[in-house]
Amino acid sequence: MSKKSKMILCLLAAAAILFCWIRFQVIPGRAAKQAEYERNQKDALTHDISVVEEFKNPYMGNAVNTTGVFGVLPFSELLAGFEMDSENCALSVTYFGTVQKLGEEKVRRNLVYNSAAAMAAIDNLAEVNYLFPDGSFTFRREELEEMLESTLSGLLDDQAVWNEVVRENLY
């Protein structure tokens, strides 16, 4: 076997090893990380709030922006519809899925988180009504700020502050 043939075989072997490593190590590892990230995005206790920052807006009248906020928050997979009341700066969010099936504690925790995130991202949003087939919840900015002992404006600017003010109050 010539030196050139040996070199070609070595390169083919290296390519095969590299292909197998990428196919069976790298790609599944990335897929697992992505799946874990997506699972974490479904719960207020593990959600990455930084994804909401791109939807910051002073007014709720931008329907694409407003729906975008809720599209990246927990329960986004259950969204059924929105109704905006720009006059009263209120938003109604309708969900598939029942409170009973989801668990009342988890629903309340996620809705407090979602409300705080939406109101922190949309400056003039004063009220969010959540409608489920078996119940409804309403969150008002003043009541939420009183409960969290902080104003919601500017909370998205610093994740450490967000975690301290909002996430710590969810437990």
Side-chain angles (χ1 to χ4, degrees):
M1 189 179 286
S2 71
K3 189 174 182 179
K4 186 177 180 182
S5 296
K6 289 180 184 179
M7 182 66 114
I8 290 173
L9 283 176
C10 286
L11 287 175
L12 284 175
I17 291 170
L18 184 61
F19 172 79
C20 290
W21 178 70
I22 290 172
R23 174 68 178 96
F24 298 110
Q25 286 292 124
V26 175
I27 293 173
R30 286 184 182 170
K33 285 180 184 177
Q34 182 64 27
E36 181 181 355
Y37 177 80
E38 289 173 12
R39 265 191 317 276
N40 288 342
Q41 291 298 87
K42 294 180 181 185
D43 191 342
L45 298 176
T46 56
H47 183 265
D48 174 16
I49 194 62
S50 68
V51 297
V52 175
E53 290 178 21
E54 74 178 88
F55 298 103
K56 286 176 76 171
N57 200 308
Y59 306 105
M60 67 169 279
N62 182 340
V64 173
N65 185 70
T66 302
T67 57
V69 169
F70 286 91
V72 297
L73 290 172
F75 289 158
S76 62
E77 71 279 5
L78 302 174
L79 284 174
F82 294 91
E83 185 176 323
M84 286 195 236
D85 178 0
S86 296
E87 192 172 301
N88 295 315
C89 296
L91 178 67
S92 294
V93 183
T94 307
Y95 288 109
F96 296 115
T98 63
V99 174
Q100 182 179 9
K101 185 177 179 182
L102 296 167
E104 190 167 341
E105 182 181 329
K106 181 179 181 176
V107 169
R108 288 185 186 274
R109 180 178 64 231
N110 283 353
L111 296 183
V112 167
Y113 183 89
N114 288 1
S115 299
M119 290 178 189
I122 304 167
D123 294 337
N124 76 335
L125 182 57
E127 181 178 304
V128 183
N129 301 298
Y130 297 99
L131 308 169
F132 290 85
D134 63 341
S136 64
F137 301 86
T138 299
F139 293 89
R140 291 177 183 81
R141 181 180 286 271
E142 305 84 37
E143 294 170 354
L144 198 53
E145 287 178 337
E146 187 177 303
M147 182 185 89
L148 297 173
E149 298 176 351
S150 176
T151 60
L152 295 170
S153 298
L155 276 183
L156 294 177
D157 297 336
D158 185 349
Q159 278 195 331
V161 172
W162 173 266
N163 288 336
E164 182 181 322
V165 171
V166 178
R167 203 178 312 262
E168 294 294 323
N169 284 305
L170 298 176
Y171 292 98

